[in-house]
Protein backbone atom coordinates (compact mmCIF):
# COMPACT_ATOMS: atom_id res chain seq x y z
CA UNK A 1 0.00 0.00 0.00
CA UNK A 2 1.36 3.44 -0.86
CA UNK A 3 1.67 6.08 1.86
CA UNK A 4 -1.40 8.36 1.79
CA UNK A 5 -0.78 11.88 0.48
CA UNK A 6 -2.48 15.01 1.77
CA UNK A 7 -1.99 18.37 0.08
CA UNK A 8 -3.01 21.62 1.74
CA UNK A 9 -3.30 24.14 -1.10
CA UNK A 10 -2.64 27.87 -1.08
CA UNK A 11 -2.63 28.44 2.66
CA UNK A 12 -0.89 31.30 4.39
CA UNK A 13 1.67 29.00 6.01
CA UNK A 14 3.51 30.09 9.18
CA UNK A 15 7.17 29.16 8.71
CA UNK A 16 9.60 28.39 11.57
CA UNK A 17 11.28 31.81 11.19
CA UNK A 18 7.95 33.59 11.86
CA UNK A 19 7.36 34.62 8.24
CA UNK A 20 4.36 33.54 6.19
CA UNK A 21 4.51 31.75 2.83
CA UNK A 22 1.53 31.64 0.52
CA UNK A 23 1.76 28.10 -0.72
CA UNK A 24 1.23 24.35 -0.39
CA UNK A 25 2.10 21.80 2.25
CA UNK A 26 2.53 18.15 1.32
CA UNK A 27 2.03 15.44 3.91
CA UNK A 28 2.87 11.78 3.41
CA UNK A 29 1.76 9.42 6.14
CA UNK A 30 2.21 11.25 9.44
CA UNK A 31 4.96 13.57 8.22
CA UNK A 32 5.26 16.92 6.50
CA UNK A 33 7.30 16.24 3.36
CA UNK A 34 7.34 19.57 1.46
CA UNK A 35 6.47 23.22 1.97
CA UNK A 36 6.63 25.29 -1.23
CA UNK A 37 4.70 27.86 -3.29
CA UNK A 38 3.30 25.07 -5.53
CA UNK A 39 3.61 21.33 -5.11
CA UNK A 40 2.37 18.94 -7.83
CA UNK A 41 0.47 15.93 -6.46
CA UNK A 42 2.59 12.78 -6.55
CA UNK A 43 -0.21 10.24 -6.35
CA UNK A 44 -3.52 10.10 -8.20
CA UNK A 45 -5.41 9.47 -4.91
CA UNK A 46 -3.94 12.49 -3.06
CA UNK A 47 -6.46 14.24 -0.81
CA UNK A 48 -6.47 17.99 -1.38
CA UNK A 49 -7.64 20.74 0.96
CA UNK A 50 -8.36 24.16 -0.54
CA UNK A 51 -6.99 26.56 2.08
CA UNK A 52 -7.27 29.82 0.15
CA UNK A 53 -7.81 32.69 2.56
CA UNK A 54 -6.90 30.54 5.58
CA UNK A 55 -3.79 30.49 7.80
CA UNK A 56 -1.92 27.27 8.58
CA UNK A 57 -0.29 26.97 12.02
CA UNK A 58 1.42 24.13 13.88
CA UNK A 59 -1.17 22.30 15.98
CA UNK A 60 -1.59 23.62 19.52
CA UNK A 61 0.13 21.66 22.28
CA UNK A 62 -1.77 22.28 25.52
CA UNK A 63 0.64 21.51 28.37
CA UNK A 64 -1.81 21.55 31.27
CA UNK A 65 -5.20 19.85 31.16
CA UNK A 66 -7.39 17.81 33.53
CA UNK A 67 -9.38 15.27 31.49
CA UNK A 68 -10.90 13.41 34.48
CA UNK A 69 -10.36 9.84 33.29
CA UNK A 70 -10.23 7.50 35.11
CA UNK A 71 -12.72 8.04 37.89
CA UNK A 72 -14.46 11.33 37.17
CA UNK A 73 -15.84 10.60 33.70
CA UNK A 74 -19.14 12.27 34.53
CA UNK A 75 -17.26 15.58 34.06
CA UNK A 76 -15.14 14.65 31.00
CA UNK A 77 -13.27 11.70 29.46
CA UNK A 78 -10.55 11.19 26.88
CA UNK A 79 -13.04 10.91 24.04
CA UNK A 80 -15.08 14.04 24.78
CA UNK A 81 -12.02 16.07 25.80
CA UNK A 82 -10.11 15.09 22.67
CA UNK A 83 -13.12 15.97 20.49
CA UNK A 84 -13.00 19.40 22.13
CA UNK A 85 -9.25 19.52 21.40
CA UNK A 86 -9.73 18.63 17.72
CA UNK A 87 -12.39 21.31 17.34
CA UNK A 88 -10.16 23.85 19.09
CA UNK A 89 -7.04 23.13 17.02
CA UNK A 90 -5.28 21.35 19.92
CA UNK A 91 -3.37 18.36 18.51
CA UNK A 92 -1.49 17.28 21.67
CA UNK A 93 -2.09 17.58 25.40
CA UNK A 94 -0.23 16.98 28.66
CA UNK A 95 -2.61 15.75 31.33
CA UNK A 96 -2.54 16.06 35.11
CA UNK A 97 -2.50 13.31 37.76
CA UNK A 98 -5.52 14.31 39.94
CA UNK A 99 -7.74 11.56 38.56
CA UNK A 100 -9.22 8.62 40.53
CA UNK A 101 -7.08 6.70 41.27
CA UNK A 102 -4.28 9.25 41.24
CA UNK A 103 -1.59 8.92 38.55
CA UNK A 104 1.28 8.23 40.94
CA UNK A 105 2.96 5.04 39.70
CA UNK A 106 3.77 3.10 36.54
CA UNK A 107 0.60 1.01 36.67
CA UNK A 108 -1.65 4.09 36.75
CA UNK A 109 0.41 5.80 34.06
CA UNK A 110 0.12 2.71 31.85
CA UNK A 111 -3.62 2.63 32.48
CA UNK A 112 -3.96 6.24 31.27
CA UNK A 113 -1.79 5.55 28.22
CA UNK A 114 -4.02 2.56 27.33
CA UNK A 115 -7.21 4.55 27.79
CA UNK A 116 -5.93 7.44 25.69
CA UNK A 117 -4.71 5.05 22.95
CA UNK A 118 -8.24 3.63 22.75
CA UNK A 119 -10.18 6.90 22.98
CA UNK A 120 -8.15 10.02 22.22
CA UNK A 121 -8.42 11.70 18.82
CA UNK A 122 -5.26 13.72 19.51
CA UNK A 123 -1.75 13.04 20.89
CA UNK A 124 -1.23 12.64 24.60
CA UNK A 125 1.31 12.70 27.42
CA UNK A 126 0.93 12.52 31.19
CA UNK A 127 2.39 14.00 34.34
CA UNK A 128 3.20 11.78 37.30
CA UNK A 129 1.93 13.17 40.61
CA UNK A 130 4.20 13.52 43.63
CA UNK A 131 2.99 12.16 46.97
CA UNK A 132 4.73 11.76 50.33
CA UNK A 133 5.79 8.23 49.47
CA UNK A 134 6.36 7.72 45.75
CA UNK A 135 9.85 9.18 45.36
CA UNK A 136 11.12 6.05 43.58
CA UNK A 137 8.20 6.09 41.13
CA UNK A 138 8.90 9.74 40.34
CA UNK A 139 12.38 8.77 39.22
CA UNK A 140 11.57 5.64 37.23
CA UNK A 141 8.17 5.90 35.51
CA UNK A 142 8.15 6.32 31.76
CA UNK A 143 7.07 7.92 29.47
CA UNK A 144 6.12 11.10 31.31
CA UNK A 145 6.46 14.80 30.61
CA UNK A 146 7.41 15.43 34.23
CA UNK A 147 6.50 15.47 37.91
CA UNK A 148 3.50 17.48 39.10
CA UNK A 149 3.54 18.93 42.59
CA UNK A 150 0.52 20.60 44.12
CA UNK A 151 2.08 22.93 46.70
CA UNK A 152 -1.40 24.15 47.65
CA UNK A 153 -5.12 24.27 46.84
CA UNK A 154 -5.37 20.50 46.81
CA UNK A 155 -6.32 17.93 49.40
CA UNK A 156 -5.31 14.33 49.96
CA UNK A 157 -2.17 12.55 48.85
CA UNK A 158 -1.22 15.00 46.07
CA UNK A 159 -0.82 17.94 48.45
CA UNK A 160 2.87 18.55 49.25
CA UNK A 161 2.92 21.62 51.48
CA UNK A 162 5.90 20.85 53.73
CA UNK A 163 9.23 22.33 52.70
CA UNK A 164 11.21 19.31 53.92
CA UNK A 165 9.26 16.97 51.68
CA UNK A 166 9.43 19.35 48.74
CA UNK A 167 13.16 19.54 49.21
CA UNK A 168 13.48 15.75 49.08
CA UNK A 169 11.74 15.73 45.70
CA UNK A 170 13.84 18.58 44.30
CA UNK A 171 17.05 16.99 45.59
CA UNK A 172 16.66 13.63 43.86
CA UNK A 173 16.75 13.14 40.10
CA UNK A 174 16.73 15.57 37.21
CA UNK A 175 13.28 15.20 35.69
CA UNK A 176 11.20 18.35 35.11
CA UNK A 177 9.13 19.43 38.14
CA UNK A 178 5.95 21.39 37.41
CA UNK A 179 4.43 23.19 40.38
CA UNK A 180 0.97 24.46 41.20
CA UNK A 181 2.33 27.30 43.30
CA UNK A 182 -0.08 28.44 46.00
CA UNK A 183 0.84 28.49 49.69
CA UNK A 184 -1.50 26.13 51.54
CA UNK A 185 -0.89 27.55 55.04
CA UNK A 186 -1.84 31.05 53.87
CA UNK A 187 -4.93 29.75 52.07
CA UNK A 188 -6.13 27.90 55.18
CA UNK A 189 -5.51 30.94 57.38
CA UNK A 190 -7.42 33.24 55.03
CA UNK A 191 -10.29 30.78 54.67
CA UNK A 192 -10.81 31.20 58.42
CA UNK A 193 -10.55 34.96 58.11
CA UNK A 194 -13.20 35.13 55.36
CA UNK A 195 -15.41 32.33 56.74
CA UNK A 196 -19.10 32.89 56.04
CA UNK A 197 -18.57 34.88 52.84
CA UNK A 198 -20.43 33.32 49.93
CA UNK A 199 -19.82 35.81 47.10
CA UNK A 200 -17.50 34.09 44.60
CA UNK A 201 -15.30 37.20 44.35
CA UNK A 202 -13.95 36.40 47.82
CA UNK A 203 -12.13 33.45 46.23
CA UNK A 204 -9.54 35.85 44.79
CA UNK A 205 -9.09 37.41 48.23
CA UNK A 206 -8.67 34.12 50.07
CA UNK A 207 -6.20 32.64 47.56
CA UNK A 208 -4.56 36.01 47.06
CA UNK A 209 -1.49 37.18 45.16
CA UNK A 210 0.64 36.72 48.24
CA UNK A 211 -0.34 33.03 48.49
CA UNK A 212 0.89 32.52 44.93
CA UNK A 213 4.06 34.55 45.47
CA UNK A 214 5.08 32.66 48.63
CA UNK A 215 4.87 29.29 46.88
CA UNK A 216 6.61 30.47 43.72
CA UNK A 217 9.44 31.92 45.86
CA UNK A 218 9.86 28.59 47.63
CA UNK A 219 9.84 26.56 44.41
CA UNK A 220 12.39 28.92 42.88
CA UNK A 221 14.62 28.70 45.96
CA UNK A 222 14.65 24.89 45.85
CA UNK A 223 15.15 24.82 42.10
CA UNK A 224 18.19 27.08 42.46
CA UNK A 225 19.60 25.07 45.34
CA UNK A 226 19.62 21.88 43.26
CA UNK A 227 19.74 23.42 39.78
CA UNK A 228 16.57 21.45 39.23
CA UNK A 229 14.48 21.93 36.09
CA UNK A 230 11.37 23.79 37.27
CA UNK A 231 8.22 24.77 35.47
CA UNK A 232 5.73 27.14 37.11
CA UNK A 233 2.20 26.25 36.06
CA UNK A 234 -0.50 28.88 35.45
CA UNK A 235 1.42 31.82 36.90
CA UNK A 236 -1.16 34.47 37.70
CA UNK A 237 0.18 37.53 39.53
CA UNK A 238 2.17 40.70 38.87
CA UNK A 239 4.26 39.91 41.96
CA UNK A 240 5.43 36.55 40.57
CA UNK A 241 6.30 38.26 37.28
CA UNK A 242 8.45 40.79 39.20
CA UNK A 243 10.21 37.94 40.96
CA UNK A 244 11.02 36.15 37.70
CA UNK A 245 12.05 39.37 36.02
CA UNK A 246 14.71 39.86 38.67
CA UNK A 247 15.97 36.32 38.66
CA UNK A 248 14.94 33.54 36.29
CA UNK A 249 17.56 30.82 35.92
CA UNK A 250 17.93 29.30 32.44
CA UNK A 251 16.42 26.01 33.67
CA UNK A 252 13.15 27.63 34.83
CA UNK A 253 10.06 28.12 32.63
CA UNK A 254 6.62 29.52 33.41
CA UNK A 255 3.23 29.46 31.72
CA UNK A 256 0.07 31.56 31.83
CA UNK A 257 -3.53 30.66 30.94
CA UNK A 258 -5.70 32.59 28.47
CA UNK A 259 -8.18 33.19 31.29
CA UNK A 260 -5.55 34.86 33.47
CA UNK A 261 -4.75 37.11 30.51
CA UNK A 262 -8.28 38.10 29.50
CA UNK A 263 -10.47 37.66 32.61
CA UNK A 264 -10.21 39.50 35.88
CA UNK A 265 -12.25 39.84 39.06
CA UNK A 266 -14.98 41.74 37.20
CA UNK A 267 -15.94 38.33 35.68
CA UNK A 268 -17.42 37.22 39.02
CA UNK A 269 -20.16 39.83 38.49
CA UNK A 270 -21.16 38.36 35.13
CA UNK A 271 -20.49 34.62 35.37
CA UNK A 272 -20.19 34.05 39.13
CA UNK A 273 -18.66 30.71 40.11
CA UNK A 274 -17.94 29.85 36.46
CA UNK A 275 -15.02 32.26 36.88
CA UNK A 276 -13.76 30.40 39.94
CA UNK A 277 -10.46 28.61 39.43
CA UNK A 278 -7.13 27.95 41.14
CA UNK A 279 -5.06 30.02 41.15
CA UNK A 280 -7.87 32.58 41.02
CA UNK A 281 -8.34 35.23 38.38
CA UNK A 282 -6.78 38.54 39.48
CA UNK A 283 -7.08 42.29 38.85
CA UNK A 284 -6.92 44.11 35.51
CA UNK A 285 -3.43 45.26 36.56
CA UNK A 286 -2.28 41.63 36.73
CA UNK A 287 -3.68 41.04 33.22
CA UNK A 288 -1.51 43.85 31.89
CA UNK A 289 1.63 42.68 33.67
CA UNK A 290 1.12 39.09 32.48
CA UNK A 291 0.72 40.24 28.86
CA UNK A 292 3.91 42.27 29.07
CA UNK A 293 5.78 39.34 30.63
CA UNK A 294 4.63 37.05 27.84
CA UNK A 295 5.70 39.50 25.15
CA UNK A 296 9.07 39.98 26.92
CA UNK A 297 9.71 36.24 27.27
CA UNK A 298 9.57 36.27 31.09
CA UNK A 299 6.61 33.92 30.63
CA UNK A 300 7.37 31.16 28.16
CA UNK A 301 4.11 29.69 26.95
CA UNK A 302 0.37 29.17 27.35
CA UNK A 303 -1.67 26.35 28.90
CA UNK A 304 -5.41 26.22 29.49
CA UNK A 305 -5.61 24.25 32.77
CA UNK A 306 -8.78 22.78 31.18
CA UNK A 307 -10.59 21.73 34.38
CA UNK A 308 -14.20 20.80 33.62
CA UNK A 309 -16.87 20.62 36.32
CA UNK A 310 -20.58 20.18 35.68
CA UNK A 311 -22.94 23.16 35.74
CA UNK A 312 -24.76 21.45 38.60
CA UNK A 313 -21.53 21.37 40.63
CA UNK A 314 -20.75 24.96 39.73
CA UNK A 315 -24.22 26.11 40.76
CA UNK A 316 -23.80 24.87 44.35
CA UNK A 317 -22.67 28.33 45.37
CA UNK A 318 -19.36 29.47 46.83
CA UNK A 319 -17.47 27.92 48.63
CA UNK A 320 -19.07 24.57 47.72
CA UNK A 321 -18.62 25.15 44.00
CA UNK A 322 -15.47 23.45 42.64
CA UNK A 323 -12.65 25.49 41.08
CA UNK A 324 -11.79 25.15 37.42
CA UNK A 325 -12.99 25.98 33.93
CA UNK A 326 -12.74 24.26 30.54
CA UNK A 327 -10.40 25.70 27.91
CA UNK A 328 -9.07 23.46 25.13
CA UNK A 329 -11.90 24.26 22.76
CA UNK A 330 -11.54 28.02 23.01
CA UNK A 331 -7.89 28.80 23.80
CA UNK A 332 -6.65 29.26 20.23
CA UNK A 333 -9.61 31.42 19.16
CA UNK A 334 -9.35 33.51 22.34
CA UNK A 335 -5.64 34.12 21.75
CA UNK A 336 -5.91 34.72 17.99
CA UNK A 337 -8.72 37.19 18.63
CA UNK A 338 -6.35 39.03 20.96
CA UNK A 339 -3.74 38.99 18.18
CA UNK A 340 -6.22 40.36 15.63
CA UNK A 341 -7.06 43.12 18.10
CA UNK A 342 -3.39 44.09 18.31
CA UNK A 343 -2.36 42.66 21.68
CA UNK A 344 0.29 40.46 20.08
CA UNK A 345 1.02 38.86 16.71
CA UNK A 346 -0.21 35.61 15.19
CA UNK A 347 3.35 34.15 15.09
CA UNK A 348 3.69 34.98 18.81
CA UNK A 349 0.46 33.12 19.59
CA UNK A 350 1.72 30.10 17.67
CA UNK A 351 5.09 30.28 19.42
CA UNK A 352 3.43 30.38 22.87
CA UNK A 353 0.88 27.67 22.10
CA UNK A 354 3.03 25.19 20.19
CA UNK A 355 6.71 25.84 19.39
CA UNK A 356 7.81 26.93 22.88
CA UNK A 357 5.87 24.10 24.53
CA UNK A 358 7.55 21.47 22.33
CA UNK A 359 10.95 22.99 23.15
CA UNK A 360 10.35 23.18 26.91
CA UNK A 361 9.15 19.59 27.23
CA UNK A 362 11.53 18.20 24.59
CA UNK A 363 8.76 16.87 22.36
CA UNK A 364 10.58 15.91 19.16
CA UNK A 365 9.41 17.00 15.69
CA UNK A 366 6.46 19.06 16.84
CA UNK A 367 5.77 22.78 16.95
CA UNK A 368 6.86 23.75 13.43
CA UNK A 369 5.71 23.45 9.83
CA UNK A 370 8.79 22.10 8.06
CA UNK A 371 9.76 18.94 6.16
CA UNK A 372 10.42 16.06 8.55
CA UNK A 373 8.11 17.42 11.27
CA UNK A 374 4.95 15.60 12.34
CA UNK A 375 1.87 16.70 10.44
CA UNK A 376 -0.02 18.13 13.43
CA UNK A 377 -1.61 21.24 11.98
CA UNK A 378 -4.46 23.66 12.33
CA UNK A 379 -5.97 25.75 9.58
CA UNK A 380 -7.64 28.85 10.98
CA UNK A 381 -9.84 31.60 9.62
CA UNK A 382 -8.64 34.92 11.02
CA UNK A 383 -11.38 36.91 9.34
CA UNK A 384 -14.57 35.27 10.49
CA UNK A 385 -15.88 36.52 13.81
CA UNK A 386 -18.49 34.25 15.38
CA UNK A 387 -19.95 34.18 18.88
CA UNK A 388 -19.15 31.23 21.11
CA UNK A 389 -22.35 29.25 21.65
CA UNK A 390 -22.91 26.79 24.47
CA UNK A 391 -24.79 24.34 22.22
CA UNK A 392 -21.78 24.00 19.91
CA UNK A 393 -19.38 22.89 22.64
CA UNK A 394 -17.86 19.41 22.56
CA UNK A 395 -16.61 19.33 26.15
CA UNK A 396 -18.79 17.08 28.31
CA UNK A 397 -19.22 19.76 30.96
CA UNK A 398 -21.15 21.77 28.36
CA UNK A 399 -20.17 25.35 29.23
CA UNK A 400 -17.42 27.89 28.74
CA UNK A 401 -16.46 31.09 30.55
CA UNK A 402 -16.31 32.70 27.09
CA UNK A 403 -19.91 32.06 25.99
CA UNK A 404 -21.18 34.99 23.97
CA UNK A 405 -17.68 36.28 23.20
CA UNK A 406 -17.31 37.22 19.56
CA UNK A 407 -14.16 35.37 18.54
CA UNK A 408 -12.17 34.89 15.36
CA UNK A 409 -9.34 32.48 14.51
CA UNK A 410 -11.56 29.44 14.89
CA UNK A 411 -10.11 26.17 13.62
CA UNK A 412 -11.48 25.28 10.20
CA UNK A 413 -9.48 22.07 9.77
CA UNK A 414 -7.32 20.18 12.28
CA UNK A 415 -4.83 17.51 11.24
CA UNK A 416 -3.31 15.00 13.69
CA UNK A 417 -0.48 12.78 12.47
CA UNK A 418 -1.40 13.48 8.84
CA UNK A 419 -5.08 12.63 9.33
CA UNK A 420 -7.90 15.15 9.14
CA UNK A 421 -9.55 14.91 12.56
CA UNK A 422 -11.81 17.97 12.24
CA UNK A 423 -13.04 19.77 9.15
CA UNK A 424 -15.59 22.56 8.93
CA UNK A 425 -17.72 21.45 11.86
CA UNK A 426 -17.28 17.69 11.41
CA UNK A 427 -15.13 15.44 13.58
CA UNK A 428 -13.53 12.30 12.17
CA UNK A 429 -14.10 9.95 15.07
CA UNK A 430 -11.91 7.20 13.56
CA UNK A 431 -8.67 9.17 14.10
CA UNK A 432 -6.49 8.28 17.09
CA UNK A 433 -3.56 10.26 18.47
CA UNK A 434 -0.26 8.79 19.58
CA UNK A 435 1.73 8.86 22.82
CA UNK A 436 4.16 11.78 22.91
CA UNK A 437 7.89 11.28 23.42
CA UNK A 438 9.85 13.51 25.83
CA UNK A 439 13.56 13.97 25.44
CA UNK A 440 13.82 16.29 28.48
CA UNK A 441 12.32 13.97 31.06
O1 LIG B 1 -9.03 25.46 39.25
C1 LIG B 1 -8.40 24.41 39.17
N1 LIG B 1 -9.02 23.23 39.05
N2 LIG B 1 -7.06 24.45 39.24
C2 LIG B 1 -6.31 23.32 39.29
O2 LIG B 1 -5.12 23.41 39.23
C3 LIG B 1 -6.99 22.01 39.44
C4 LIG B 1 -8.28 22.05 38.74
C5 LIG B 1 -9.14 20.83 38.83
O3 LIG B 1 -8.60 19.72 38.69
O4 LIG B 1 -10.34 20.96 38.97
Amino acid sequence: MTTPELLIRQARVLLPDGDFLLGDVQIRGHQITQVAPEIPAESAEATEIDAAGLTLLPGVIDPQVHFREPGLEYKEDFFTASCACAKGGVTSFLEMPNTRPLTVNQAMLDDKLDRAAAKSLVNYGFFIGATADNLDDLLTVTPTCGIKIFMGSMHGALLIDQEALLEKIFAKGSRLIAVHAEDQARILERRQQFAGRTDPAVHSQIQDNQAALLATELALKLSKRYRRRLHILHLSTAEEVDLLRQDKPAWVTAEVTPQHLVLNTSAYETIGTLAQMNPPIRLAHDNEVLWQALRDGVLDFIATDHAPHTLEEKSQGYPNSPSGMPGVETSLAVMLTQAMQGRCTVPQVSHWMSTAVAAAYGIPLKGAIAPGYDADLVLVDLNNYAPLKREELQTKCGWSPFEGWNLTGWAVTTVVGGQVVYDRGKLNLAVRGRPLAFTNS
Side-chain angles (χ1 to χ4, degrees):
M1 208 176 85
T2 54
T3 320
E5 181 180 6
L6 176 66
L7 278 160
I8 300 175
R9 293 275 188 220
Q10 291 309 294
R12 194 165 152 258
V13 183
L14 178 64
L15 300 176
D17 64 5
D19 283 342
F20 287 97
L21 168 88
L22 190 63
D24 299 350
V25 173
Q26 183 199 46
I27 293 149
R28 302 224 58 159
H30 70 275
Q31 246 186 9
I32 298 169
T33 39
Q34 284 187 73
V35 182
E38 221 184 306
I39 304 170
E42 283 170 3
S43 54
E45 325 70 79
T47 305
E48 302 209 3
I49 294 176
D50 175 7
L54 304 177
T55 299
L56 189 67
L57 306 173
V60 172
I61 307 172
D62 190 333
Q64 194 199 163
V65 300
H66 303 264
F67 283 174
R68 310 303 191 202
E69 182 171 353
L72 300 164
E73 289 92 340
Y74 72 94
K75 296 177 197 265
E76 190 80 281
D77 62 56
F78 286 128
F79 175 70
T80 54
S82 66
C83 287
C85 285
K87 178 161 166 271
V90 175
T91 52
S92 299
F93 63 80
L94 305 182
E95 207 260 352
M96 286 298 168
N98 56 331
T99 36
R100 307 280 181 275
L102 307 173
T103 319
V104 292
N105 56 36
Q106 188 68 53
M108 293 328 302
L109 179 62
D110 288 342
D111 177 55
K112 266 195 181 170
L113 285 160
D114 288 347
R115 288 166 180 270
K119 292 170 75 172
S120 179
L121 278 66
V122 304
N123 306 313
Y124 44 87
F126 298 100
F127 282 91
I128 187 83
T131 69
D133 48 35
N134 74 340
L135 205 50
D136 289 339
D137 301 282
L138 297 183
L139 301 173
T140 56
V141 297
T142 187
T144 181
C145 47
I147 298 166
K148 166 71 181 278
I149 302 181
F150 284 92
M151 298 173 72
S153 85
M154 179 47 71
H155 46 82
L158 286 183
L159 175 66
I160 312 270
D161 59 350
Q162 300 303 312
E163 182 167 344
L165 185 50
L166 281 169
E167 177 147 15
K168 263 195 193 163
I169 301 168
F170 273 80
K172 213 163 172 199
S174 57
R175 180 165 268 175
L176 178 147
I177 293 176
V179 291
H180 178 130
E182 287 190 277
D183 185 81
Q184 186 70 0
R186 183 170 173 95
I187 293 173
L188 293 179
E189 191 189 302
R190 289 175 73 79
R191 252 185 222 158
Q192 292 291 324
Q193 215 173 311
F194 291 91
R197 290 271 300 270
T198 56
D199 48 319
V202 79
H203 188 62
S204 293
Q205 284 173 270
I206 295 172
Q207 302 190 199
D208 67 349
N209 289 30
Q210 186 63 17
L213 179 64
L214 286 172
T216 294
E217 279 173 345
L218 175 56
L220 207 53
K221 179 178 90 178
L222 294 173
S223 162
K224 285 189 335 201
R225 184 171 298 159
Y226 297 99
R227 294 182 73 88
R228 182 67 185 259
R229 174 80 178 90
L230 170 68
H231 176 63
I232 300 160
L233 299 158
H234 44 39
L235 187 142
S236 61
T237 70
E239 290 83 347
E240 291 165 284
V241 166
D242 286 346
L243 179 70
L244 289 186
R245 244 185 226 291
Q246 284 160 32
D247 182 15
K248 185 177 174 221
W251 59 88
V252 175
T253 51
E255 74 188 25
V256 61
T257 69
Q259 55 272 33
H260 286 110
L261 291 168
V262 304
L263 297 180
N264 52 56
T265 50
S266 65
Y268 292 121
E269 290 156 31
T270 47
I271 58 171
T273 57
L274 298 187
Q276 179 194 332
M277 70 169 293
N278 298 331
I281 52 169
R282 310 294 186 186
L283 300 176
H285 168 70
D286 297 280
N287 296 148
E288 291 310 312
V289 173
L290 292 169
W291 270 111
Q292 194 56 47
L294 196 52
R295 288 187 295 253
D296 292 346
V298 174
L299 297 178
D300 297 276
F301 51 82
I302 286 172
T304 64
D305 191 20
H306 179 93
H309 298 285
T310 65
L311 279 168
E312 200 183 339
E313 290 170 316
K314 279 290 199 181
S315 66
Q316 289 173 105
Y318 193 81
N320 298 321
S321 43
S323 293
M325 48 178 95
V328 290
E329 206 161 343
T330 50
S331 55
L332 184 60
V334 165
M335 291 304 296
L336 288 174
T337 301
Q338 294 290 312
M340 295 311 281
Q341 293 171 356
R343 278 271 185 170
C344 57
T345 67
V346 172
Q348 276 176 319
V349 169
S350 183
H351 177 78
W352 299 327
M353 298 187 78
S354 186
T355 316
V357 178
Y361 283 96
I363 306 172
L365 301 177
K366 300 214 185 279
I369 304 178
Y373 274 72
D374 291 338
D376 294 342
L377 302 162
V378 57
L379 202 49
V380 298
D381 188 345
L382 292 170
N383 303 307
N384 182 22
Y385 278 82
L388 174 58
K389 296 196 191 122
R390 179 173 283 187
E391 58 273 22
E392 289 171 5
L393 291 168
Q394 292 290 329
T395 174
K396 197 185 277 186
C397 74
W399 62 273
S400 162
F402 304 113
E403 282 166 42
W405 285 41
N406 200 29
L407 301 176
T408 190
W410 291 106
V412 175
T413 306
T414 308
V415 176
V416 170
Q419 292 184 277
V420 175
V421 68
Y422 174 79
D423 188 42
R424 294 165 210 268
K426 256 188 91 77
L427 289 160
N428 179 352
L429 301 182
V431 173
R432 288 294 173 272
R434 295 171 181 219
L436 296 168
F438 306 101
T439 59
N440 293 355
S441 186

